[in-house]
Structures are given as C-alpha cells and as structure tokens.
Amino acid sequence: IENMAVEPSYDGVRLEGKEMTQEFIDDMTERFKNGKLIHKKYVYQIVTTVKQLVYDEPTMVEMEVPEGVQLTVCGDTHGQYFDLMELFRLNGPPSDTHYYLFNGDFVDRGSWSTEIALLLYAYKMLRPKGFFINRGNHETDDMNRVYGFEGECKHKYNERTFKLFSESFSALPLATLVGGKYLVLHGGLFSDDNVTLDDIRKLDRHKQRQPGQSGLMMEMLWTDPQKEPGRGPSKRGVGLQFGPDVTKRFCEKNGLEAVIRSHEVRMDGYEQEHDGKCITVFSAPKYCDMTENRGAFINIGPDYKLQFKQFDAVPHPNIQPMAYAQNALRSSLM
Ligand SMILES: O=C(O)c1nn[nH]c1-c1ccccc1
Ligand SMILES: [Mn+2]
Ligand SMILES: [Mn+2]
Ligand SMILES: [Mn+2]
C-alpha cells in the first residue's frame, strides 16, 4: 500500500506517512457530506491499520473515564451518516476530552455505511485510547452480503475494500467494560448463568472469525432481553431472549451496575429495562427511513452517572436504504 501513488489530480487532503490527522478527518467528513469518496490508498491504509489496532485489543476492552473527560456510548448507526453528523453536531465530535464508544451495527441497511465505517476507523486511528468500537452482528459476512455493506463497498470502492473491512470486523472486540460498572456489548447475555467477565476476557475471538449459530460470541452479538423471567426463544431464529432475573444474577455475579446493549430499535432511542439493569441504546433515528423512532446516546462522566440524550433524524440525499444491496440470490449463486 505504501508505494501506491495518489494522482496529482486528487483534490483531497493526503495522508503523509502512517499518522492520521484531524485535518484529514475534517476533509474526509466534508467530502462524504458532498457525496465524494477518498482515495482507495487511504481506505486500505486506514482499514489495515485499524484492523491491527483492534486485533491487539482484548476481547473485553476495559476503560475508565478520566477527570475532565466525557464518554458517549452510541448504539446502532446502520449507515445513517447524516444522522451521525447530527449526533456530533448536538453532542460534540470525538476529541481528546470527549471519548466515544460505538456499540456495533455501524454498517448495513443505511446507504452510507462505508462513510460511517471509515469515519469511525479514522478516529480510532487518530486516538486509539479515546475511541472504542464493539463488534455487532452486522459486522459479519453473512449480514453484509444481504443487508448492503458488501454491495456498497464494491459499488463505491472495490472487492478488496470489502475483504479488508471483513477481516477488520473479525478482529473487533466483543465488549467494553466501563469503569468496572457497565458492560457494553451489542446483543446481550447468555444461555448459561455461570458466564463471568473472565470467561469473556479469555474468549479467543481470533479463533472464530464469524459468530456461527452457538457459543459465547454468537450470544454476545445476537441475544435480546425479554420482560418474562427466565429464558425464551429468539424472535430472530438465532440466539435467545433473557429475562430480568438473568440480568440481575449476571450483574450481581460480576459486580456490575448494568449491561448496556443495542441491537434493537426503541421508539425513544433508548430504554431502561430489567429494573434499570439492562439498557438498550439505539442511535439510528427514523430507522431505514421508515420507523418513527428517535435516536439516543448515553453520556458518562468521571462520576459514572448515565445521562440519556435523544435526537432526531435529519434530511439526507435522496438515496434509499439498502441502495447497494446485492440481490441475495444472485450473489449466493456467483
Ligand atoms: O438489520 C437490523 O435491523 C438488525 N440489527 N441487528 N440485527 C438485525 C437483523 C436484521 C435482520 C435479520 C436479523 C437481524
Ligand atoms: Mn442493528
Ligand atoms: Mn444487531
Ligand atoms: Mn434517514
């Protein structure tokens, strides 16, 4: 990649050497707003660098909120780039004193998935210790093939871009522990009451690139809460549903105040369930341009109090959700 040439005619900010700059991010942000792309040399550089960065992180990242810093936890964004811009406008962009944690499902469905993925990755590259990304069930090959990200990569860039993103998704951490109090993961809890944080720490995610139909990784990416105690069948055909007693036992056993998860739309953008021990946060307002839901995010300061904020969808260029989704049958026959 290093000796790939960028034509003199390229009108965007250039990356010199291996460092990311805020100047590059600001230029890229504007280019994406205007429907432009970045040079594929920089796509390869950003994705391969972030793949290595996140590969070396533990399966459960552990972070604190330092004095003078605020952490924002965001849920699913699903390619809704213009709504993410609205979130940054209202809440402030990532900075040295404003950490962000994106809790999976940042691609698929919305038709600006490459823009969101490259923006999150560029921030990760610029500030690895102040910007965090959990894997969602949509950061997987099976979902990207059907719900648009693979098609969008190929349409806007090329096949190599999708392959590199796919490898980076397999390297993403599966959970982030905030201040030893909140376990943030995309889906939810487990079929087994005995799972501890240590089991998650010890999970070698590099041995299994895709979540499959069973096991800890699948459950962390796929399960949903239910109102009834105990466990029940998943409405998705994958994973299971877990009740308030399951959440209570898990939090007590692991010394947690709550589990913060995403993975499901909520009309208010967030919901505190299971006596406040299971919190859903979803950051794609007017999901797929159809659901009349708000978006939300959670601000957490050094005192670890949760501040819930809501926001609304903003107008975006007239490109429908799933605009680049390949015909599932056609792509599976190739
Ligand atoms: O695309 C979504 O809404 C979604 N977000 N997380 N999981 C899903 C999903 C969608 C269709 C089928 C299975 C899961
Ligand atoms: Mn989702
Ligand atoms: Mn999901
Ligand atoms: Mn929209």
Side-chain angles (χ1 to χ4, degrees):
I1 302 174
E2 285 66 35
N3 49 31
M4 263 179 79
V6 176
E7 306 72 34
S9 59
Y10 182 66
D11 62 348
V13 167
R14 291 159 188 264
L15 272 187
E16 312 301 339
K18 295 188 180 312
E19 301 301 310
M20 176 53 66
T21 64
Q22 188 62 51
E23 186 208 10
F24 183 91
I25 290 178
D26 293 344
D27 177 61
M28 182 176 74
T29 301
E30 278 314 300
R31 293 177 71 82
F32 289 165
K33 279 183 188 168
N34 300 321
K36 297 167 107 177
L37 305 177
I38 60 169
H39 197 284
K40 59 180 184 298
K41 173 188 170 100
Y42 302 138
V43 174
Y44 301 158
Q45 204 176 333
I46 291 165
V47 182
T48 48
T49 303
V50 170
K51 181 208 161 180
Q52 194 52 55
L53 275 173
V54 298
Y55 187 96
D56 293 338
E57 290 184 328
T59 296
M60 180 179 79
V61 171
E62 305 191 38
M63 51 90 58
E64 312 278 338
V65 183
E67 276 310 311
V69 169
Q70 168 174 279
L71 168 72
T72 298
V73 179
C74 299
D76 301 34
T77 47
H78 275 305
Q80 300 185 196
Y81 181 76
F82 294 86
D83 298 324
L84 177 58
M85 291 298 103
E86 173 69 354
L87 191 159
F88 285 159
R89 184 185 70 83
L90 293 168
N91 195 46
S95 74
D96 286 338
T97 57
H98 197 160
Y99 292 1
Y100 273 83
L101 164 54
F102 283 82
N103 191 27
D105 278 19
F106 46 95
V107 296
D108 276 345
R109 297 279 191 191
S111 294
W112 291 273
S113 293
T114 56
E115 287 77 7
I116 288 196
L118 286 166
L119 184 61
L120 300 192
Y121 277 24
Y123 274 119
K124 182 65 179 177
M125 190 169 164
L126 178 68
R127 196 172 290 116
K129 293 290 172 236
F131 196 92
F132 305 93
I133 307 172
N134 286 338
R135 188 177 190 181
N137 66 303
H138 273 270
E139 282 72 47
T140 60
D141 291 348
D142 287 350
M143 301 301 272
N144 295 159
R145 184 179 307 113
V146 175
Y147 290 97
F149 183 61
E150 178 175 344
E152 185 182 325
C153 285
K154 290 176 176 177
H155 178 87
K156 291 181 180 173
Y157 294 102
N158 53 33
E159 164 121 25
R160 183 178 177 194
T161 298
F162 173 67
K163 289 274 174 273
L164 289 172
F165 265 119
S166 170
E167 286 168 14
S168 75
F169 290 168
S170 297
L172 288 170
L174 303 179
T176 302
L177 183 65
V178 176
K181 294 171 185 301
Y182 304 109
L183 184 68
V184 186
L185 75 180
H186 178 72
L189 299 180
F190 306 96
S191 50
D192 170 359
D193 271 337
N194 297 318
V195 174
T196 65
L197 297 183
D198 234 25
D199 295 324
I200 300 173
R201 282 188 190 94
K202 284 185 299 201
L203 198 168
D204 181 355
R205 70 186 187 278
H206 303 315
K207 268 202 338 238
Q208 182 185 9
R209 298 194 48 183
Q210 303 295 319
Q213 296 293 316
S214 66
L216 286 190
M217 181 191 291
M218 181 280 293
E219 293 182 348
M220 293 172 77
L221 265 48
W222 276 95
T223 61
D224 295 301
Q226 63 179 31
K227 292 190 178 7
E228 307 74 25
R231 291 176 171 85
S234 164
K235 295 190 176 62
R236 305 166 186 267
V238 183
L240 61 104
Q241 296 189 161
F242 56 95
D245 54 322
V246 175
T247 304
K248 185 170 185 294
R249 284 194 296 271
F250 181 83
C251 288
E252 282 172 356
K253 187 180 179 65
N254 291 288
L256 299 172
E257 281 196 26
V259 173
I260 298 175
R261 47 87 67 175
S262 298
H263 194 40
E264 288 180 296
V265 186
R266 290 289 184 273
M267 291 314 286
D268 292 335
Y270 76 96
E271 186 176 359
Q272 301 180 83
E273 302 160 74
H274 295 184
D275 309 309
K277 293 197 174 305
C278 180
I279 294 162
T280 298
V281 61
F282 191 83
S283 306
K286 205 159 182 285
Y287 186 40
C288 302
D289 290 348
M290 283 188 301
T291 313
E292 286 305 319
N293 65 294
R294 305 191 74 189
F297 48 91
I298 307 172
N299 287 337
I300 306 176
D303 62 359
Y304 295 106
K305 289 207 178 345
L306 303 183
Q307 231 189 353
F308 296 94
K309 302 277 189 174
Q310 298 170 299
F311 69 110
D312 293 305
V314 295
H316 56 71
N318 183 22
I319 299 173
Q320 302 311 307
M322 305 263 282
Y324 311 103
Q326 297 164 321
N327 169 304
L329 183 65
R330 182 157 54 83
S331 63
S332 61
L333 291 179
M334 281 172 183

